Amino acid sequence: MYISKLTLFQMMPQTTRNTPNKAKLAANGINNFNEIFDIVPPFVVAVDINLNYYSLQKRMKDHALFNLHELLKLSKLVGCKVQVLIKLALKETK
């Protein structure tokens, strides 16, 4: 039976997969919205928030394209409050 890499990736436990990244994020803090993607790879974010990778790339260039539901999922993935992500996104779109 053939199991694709994506299937194996999705089978990994959610709680332990990003734990070192979350600790690194909490230690450094973030000043720029795209710094999130330096710590948590865009592919991981795309899979975890159920978003096409190319759609995520567009949203990374223009943060106003993120909807509230996607920001809520991203905040849970990163381990911060959604208000922090909203403020960072708004700061860079003005």
Side-chain angles (χ1 to χ4, degrees), residues 5 13 16 28 69 72:
K5 289 181 182 178
T16 59
N28 294 340
H69 187 66
L72 284 168

Side-chain angles (χ1 to χ4, degrees), residues 17-74:
R17 181 164 84 197
N18 296 315
T19 304
N21 294 333
K22 288 180 185 177
K24 188 176 179 182
L25 180 68
N28 294 340
I30 53 174
N31 299 321
N32 184 348
F33 194 86
N34 283 336
E35 288 179 14
I36 295 169
F37 304 108
D38 292 338
I39 296 170
V40 182
F43 178 75
V44 173
V45 173
V47 169
D48 283 357
I49 67 172
N50 297 326
L51 192 63
N52 184 333
Y53 180 76
Y54 296 106
S55 297
L56 178 64
Q57 292 293 320
K58 283 194 268 183
R59 285 164 173 77
M60 287 171 63
K61 291 178 185 171
D62 182 12
H63 308 301
L65 296 175
F66 277 104
N67 63 33
L68 184 58
H69 187 66
E70 293 163 351
L71 287 174
L72 284 168
K73 287 182 180 181
L74 184 60

Side-chain angles (χ1 to χ4, degrees), residues 1-14 17 43 47-48:
M1 182 174 145
Y2 175 73
I3 299 176
S4 69
K5 289 181 182 178
L6 182 59
T7 306
L8 286 174
F9 190 76
Q10 289 173 337
M11 291 170 48
M12 294 174 67
Q14 295 276 56
R17 181 164 84 197
F43 178 75
V47 169
D48 283 357

